[in-house]
Amino acid sequence: MPLDTKDKVAHLLRRAGFAARPEEIEQGVAKGLPALVDDLVNFEKFPDNLGPLPNAPAQNGIPPNTSYLDLTTQQYFSVYGSLLNDMQRLWLNAMITTTRPLQEKMVLFWHGLFATSGADLDLRHMYLQNEHFRGNFDPNTGRLGRLAATHPFPVGNFRNILENLSKDIAMLFYLDNFLNVKLNADVGSNENYARELLELFSLGVNDPITGEPNYTEVDVRQASRALTGWTVLFERDDRLIRQFFFNSSAHDFGPYRVLNRSFSGDGRQLFDIIVNHRNPGQQQSACGRFLGYRLFKFFGYDDPEPEVINDLADTFDGVHGGDRYNIRAMLRRIFTPGNPTSEAFYSDKAFKAHIKSPTEYIVSTFRLLRPTGLANSQLVTQVVLGLRTFSGMIQMGQYLFFPPNVAGWKEGLDWINTSFNLARCNFANTMATLVQPAQGGIDVHSLLQANGLLTNGQLAPAERVVDFFTTLLLQAPVSAQTRQTLINYMNAPGGSTDMINMKVRGLLHLIMTMPEFQLS
């Protein structure tokens, strides 16, 4: 059965962001789907409320008001735990409170596609990369801050995204390209990054429709030559390295031959060749198909049809008009009604069928129930990550800044197994039962009062309480049997007269553990 407008708005808000509150759905319906899409993809017109990274704690000889980025190596290691905590809290808070949900969703997407890990890197490089993916860091200058609209991340020109990625400090260290120097006419001295650039970041090993190989081993080796001398600007003292450097003396100027194209120079033409590459007999670019598959898999469903992949690849190639290689145009194609890709996005197959990642599960909980005291507390990372409760994001299988390997986090059913599901159930219990003011948990009293469910200390009938919380948390009706089961729970005798802290919080726990709440 086709989705109605309300369902489409809720679906869009959940996928392009992290959650859909009832008032946001009502506003979206009043605005209309095309206008809502326009607001989401043109997020720059809304102020960014992302906060700065706090300064390092004044300890171990570190002067007050010193930025983590200005610490010596020894000082950095002395406050490693504080920095990690601050970085996690900053990113979580960005996703929980952002006025630009699609921007933050794309930051999460790029961290999964262009994976590097804090396990192998200076955490400050991970922080700079996080800002880079948000469009707030320039590796050419090492400068942080709101940058020009031409910055390719997070939704700009993919050819330029690949060039910027190849200059990203965390990536240069993670895949060793900072060591890659001229060797011979066959290969550079280190081919790690060139391999992943083709395999994981731009083309994929095989075409997602035909399965034919997208590149050869020779292409990898020749690409590594083109990227020789792409390194970092080493500092003479102990300051943090934060700037890309093109070392012409270590660079192989070619000629090289990659993807059946010969070229010479500083290596930048490699990215033009990658985004334009077509396999024999294929109308769409291989890069367009790869990105079409990855983007729709992230926002739509796991196994997009060839028609969807090709339609997005055509958008990437500029067939539908507009700039080529433009990520924003591809996102607009997915979300705007009236084309084959958006028909798939707003289909029954996609609706409430995406398994939330641990990040989506937790951020949606915060955006729906608004435990603002906890969100603003230093405790948030301990509770959310599971460092204190052992039932948080880490136990669910996702640790921000620490993907398992260069292939990034897996999606879909990989988020569900007995251990991960138990962690979700335990997290739901932790969140629902944080009742002490100092803990900053969910303010159930205020929530009930604001919605007319608690008057003069009298709780509304169970039916109304159940309907309110299922609508808030699930945005879709539950089955009659499930509704009655929840009502029966509310009406069953309990061991306490404190209905709110026992029954209502118990109801929250039950809903958050239902299969429906695991889906977006």
Side-chain angles (χ1 to χ4, degrees):
M1 186 173 66
L3 305 185
D4 61 25
T5 300
K6 185 176 179 181
D7 283 341
K8 288 181 179 177
V9 167
H11 179 65
L12 173 63
L13 291 172
R14 285 191 294 264
R15 296 295 179 86
F18 296 92
R21 287 181 58 84
E23 68 273 19
E24 294 171 332
I25 298 173
E26 290 178 9
Q27 292 164 6
V29 170
K31 182 178 293 183
L33 208 50
L36 178 60
V37 172
D38 194 64
D39 282 350
L40 286 166
V41 300
N42 294 311
F43 47 77
E44 295 91 342
K45 61 185 178 182
F46 299 101
D48 191 355
N49 58 351
L50 178 70
L53 182 68
N55 287 326
Q59 63 187 46
N60 304 323
I62 299 173
N65 303 317
T66 302
S67 168
Y68 282 110
L69 304 181
D70 293 332
L71 299 181
T72 66
T73 302
Q74 185 177 1
Q75 289 171 331
Y76 157 72
F77 281 114
S78 74
V79 294
Y80 180 95
S82 297
L83 173 58
L84 178 57
N85 190 56
D86 284 339
M87 286 172 52
Q88 297 275 358
R89 190 161 54 85
L90 189 65
W91 192 3
L92 280 168
N93 198 56
M95 291 186 280
I96 291 169
T97 66
T98 184
T99 52
R100 300 175 170 186
L102 185 56
Q103 171 181 277
E104 290 306 317
K105 207 63 180 285
M106 286 306 297
V107 171
L108 184 63
F109 173 79
W110 293 127
H111 271 285
L113 184 63
F114 302 149
T116 59
S117 174
D120 303 301
L121 298 170
D122 188 318
L123 288 177
R124 296 171 294 180
H125 290 144
M126 295 299 295
Y127 167 72
L128 293 178
Q129 184 181 68
N130 184 257
E131 288 288 25
H132 191 188
F133 289 169
R134 199 172 279 108
N136 294 337
F137 177 69
D138 183 356
N140 292 296
T141 63
R143 188 168 69 86
L144 266 171
R146 302 292 180 264
L147 302 174
T150 54
H151 195 293
F153 280 111
V155 294
N157 181 297
F158 189 70
R159 181 260 174 235
N160 295 340
I161 282 178
L162 290 180
E163 182 174 334
N164 261 43
L165 177 71
S166 304
K167 297 175 177 177
D168 183 86
I169 309 305
M171 187 60 78
L172 284 165
F173 280 120
Y174 188 63
L175 290 178
D176 306 317
N177 204 67
F178 77 106
L179 298 171
N180 186 21
V181 297
K182 181 177 180 179
L183 185 62
N184 57 47
D186 176 48
V187 66
S189 69
N190 192 301
E191 61 189 81
N192 286 353
Y193 178 69
R195 182 175 303 282
E196 306 306 355
L197 176 65
L198 299 182
E199 178 179 335
L200 296 175
F201 303 155
S202 64
L203 297 178
V205 176
N206 301 109
D207 182 86
I209 297 176
T210 65
E212 66 182 294
N214 277 325
Y215 61 90
T216 67
E217 181 67 18
V218 173
D219 292 323
V220 170
R221 296 168 73 83
Q222 288 289 295
S224 73
R225 291 180 60 208
L227 293 169
T228 49
W230 284 53
T231 185
V232 298
L233 182 62
F234 286 97
E235 301 286 350
R236 293 184 178 179
D237 53 20
D238 201 19
R239 289 183 296 175
L240 178 68
I241 294 169
R242 52 191 290 176
Q243 197 169 343
F244 167 77
F245 177 63
F246 177 67
N247 184 358
S248 59
S249 65
H251 179 68
D252 181 344
F253 283 86
Y256 352 88
R257 187 167 178 80
V258 180
L259 300 171
N260 300 316
R261 294 280 303 277
S262 297
F263 63 106
S264 305
D266 60 12
R268 288 186 295 173
Q269 194 177 345
L270 173 65
F271 310 113
D272 298 304
I273 291 171
I274 289 174
V275 296
N276 282 297
H277 174 62
R278 282 170 169 74
N279 290 316
Q282 287 184 6
Q283 185 175 349
Q284 292 80 18
S285 66
C287 187
R289 281 186 173 184
F290 169 80
L291 264 186
Y293 172 77
R294 291 302 300 256
L295 282 171
F296 198 86
K297 186 172 186 286
F298 186 76
F299 287 102
Y301 45 76
D302 283 348
D303 53 345
E305 295 79 4
E307 294 77 15
V308 171
I309 296 172
N310 280 338
D311 188 57
L312 284 172
D314 283 341
T315 305
F316 181 85
D317 295 336
V319 173
H320 301 306
D323 296 336
R324 294 190 296 171
Y325 326 131
N326 188 277
I327 301 299
R328 194 192 309 267
M330 297 178 79
L331 296 174
R332 187 184 292 279
R333 188 77 177 173
I334 294 173
F335 301 140
T336 303
N339 65 74
T341 297
S342 63
E343 285 180 13
F345 177 73
Y346 292 111
S347 67
D348 282 340
K349 182 177 179 180
F351 186 68
K352 298 287 278 184
H354 166 78
I355 297 174
K356 294 177 183 174
S357 68
T359 299
E360 291 170 320
Y361 176 82
I362 285 171
V363 173
S364 68
T365 301
F366 274 75
R367 289 185 74 98
L368 292 170
L369 292 170
R370 295 180 172 172
T372 52
L374 179 61
N376 295 324
S377 165
Q378 294 286 341
L379 288 176
V380 65
T381 49
Q382 298 179 34
V383 173
V384 169
L385 297 179
L387 299 176
R388 181 187 183 204
T389 62
F390 303 103
S391 58
M393 190 179 292
I394 298 172
Q395 290 75 23
M396 296 179 199
Q398 189 169 35
Y399 192 0
L400 294 177
F401 295 113
F402 294 85
N405 53 52
V406 70
W409 295 292
K410 297 187 181 300
E411 298 286 342
L413 286 172
D414 284 302
W415 292 128
I416 298 296
N417 62 36
T418 51
S419 297
F420 292 170
N421 203 40
L422 181 61
R424 291 186 183 222
C425 293
N426 288 337
F427 173 80
N429 183 57
T430 300
M431 285 298 297
T433 56
L434 276 176
V435 294
Q436 299 301 318
Q439 295 175 314
I442 302 160
D443 189 346
V444 175
H445 280 81
S446 296
L447 202 54
L448 293 169
Q449 288 171 338
N451 291 279
L453 298 169
L454 183 65
T455 306
N456 299 323
Q458 186 67 37
L459 187 65
E463 290 82 353
R464 287 184 57 201
V465 176
V466 166
D467 289 344
F468 169 75
F469 280 111
T470 52
T471 300
L472 173 65
L473 293 173
L474 306 176
Q475 304 96 47
V478 294
S479 70
Q481 182 181 7
T482 298
R483 179 174 182 269
Q484 191 58 52
T485 299
L486 295 174
I487 292 170
N488 292 344
Y489 163 77
M490 289 294 293
N491 288 330
S496 169
T497 58
D498 187 349
M499 283 292 291
I500 294 175
N501 279 328
M502 192 186 73
K503 284 292 188 177
V504 178
R505 289 184 185 277
L507 177 66
L508 284 174
H509 180 206
L510 285 175
I511 297 174
M512 290 171 64
T513 59
M514 288 167 53
E516 291 89 337
F517 191 70
Q518 317 310 311
L519 300 173
S520 168

